[in-house]
Amino acid sequence: MRIAVFAGDGIGPEVTEQALRVLEKLELPGLELVEGDVGGAAYRKHGHPLPAQTLDIARSADAILFGAVGDFTLDHLERALRPEQAVLGLRKELGLFANLRPAQVFAGLEDLSTLRPEVSGKIDLLIVRELTGDVYFGEKGTRTLEDGRRQGWDMMSYAEDEVRRIAHVGFKAAQGRSKKLCSVDKANVLETSQLWRDVVIEVSAEYPDVELSHMYVDNAAMQLVKNPGAFDVIVTGNLFGDILSDQASMCVGSIGLLASASLAEGTYGLYEPIHGSAPDIAGKGLANPMATILSAAMLLRHSFGLEEPAARIEAAVAAALAAGVKGGDLGGNAGTKEIGDAVLAHL
Ligand code: IPM
Ligand code: MG
């Protein structure tokens, strides 16, 4: 069980440290942790946000626990050297095409949402986001038009095999939940989305037990705040999934509680909180490490098939929350280490 630990920037190291305490406490046989540099931290040390040695560590491991990347003081760098390229590069290089972003409301935390508690309390959904294609990874550039105007451009595309494999992940996830899958696209405007929809419908023939529906992304954004409880599994492309998953996290009430898995074919995966590096509170011991701790639980479940310790971690987080241990993001005043201590105590 070799786990690459890439803590990254901002609050990444603090929250990762608490997740490692939790993993170590479980005394899993064969657990081996190996650290690597990513993001702005890696750029400062090695001149690149995703140095070759970090990729080597990733390839030598069975899974990655990832903190966060992002450092606004480096935003002036050319795009290829910006901290965000670390996570984009890992996704592409390692074929991490399937991003699972669950969002559910913990009992007792319904009031944190800006939605009414009777609405937010019903949220229990999973966004399956395609992660290595779409406008994120298409050709892009800036050019000057003949009339002298500057133009930025980014190419959006999906090949049918890319859609098919993420559709399978979506349908299988739906089979393990309430057997409802909603595919989100913008097929009324985009050719990319029309092909997406056609292929998802083709794949659905293999899953007669799953009820498939389609929704335009603008409507999906609206339904997510109107009646989020109506969603179970959502499958969507890279850009729409990026936006809808942040929105879903706010419907829950805090981005500080949401974990994610980015999976390759097989069992390899990268696990990270969906929040960013939060430079405003970095280094102050204020960040809520729960999303990273829950990401470690997803790691045990998806990459190692260790359901029992994964469920134990999740139960410990829920118990700590139920006991009133809340970070600033949840309106409480528990610090990073204190939250880690509380989760360990409930483990
Ligand atoms: C995410 C983030 C990334 C993305 C950024 C950091 C490149 O927002 O994981 O959702 O856009 O995919
Ligand atoms: Mg995002």
Side-chain angles (χ1 to χ4, degrees), residues 84 88 91 101 129 136 242:
E84 288 77 11
L88 295 173
R91 289 171 184 171
R101 295 192 163 180
R129 169 190 175 196
Y136 267 61
D242 178 46

Side-chain angles (χ1 to χ4, degrees), residues 5 7 12-22 24 289 292 337:
V5 180
E14 308 162 52
V15 293
T16 307
E17 186 187 341
Q18 299 307 317
L20 292 182
R21 288 176 71 202
V22 170
E24 277 162 352
T292 315
K337 172 149 190 308

Side-chain angles (χ1 to χ4, degrees), residues 154-205:
D154 300 82
M155 159 95 163
M156 174 183 270
S157 71
Y158 264 123
E160 57 180 316
D161 56 303
E162 293 177 299
V163 181
R164 202 168 287 124
R165 66 179 182 175
I166 194 71
H168 280 291
V169 175
F171 279 107
K172 289 193 177 113
Q175 281 182 324
R177 294 175 52 114
S178 69
K179 300 194 164 53
K180 280 189 343 194
L181 180 66
C182 179
S183 172
V184 170
D185 62 35
K186 187 70 186 172
N188 50 345
V189 178
L190 303 172
E191 286 303 323
T192 311
S193 278
Q194 186 59 56
L195 181 91
W196 172 282
R197 188 176 285 218
D198 294 347
V199 173
V200 171
I201 291 171
E202 285 161 28
V203 173
S204 71

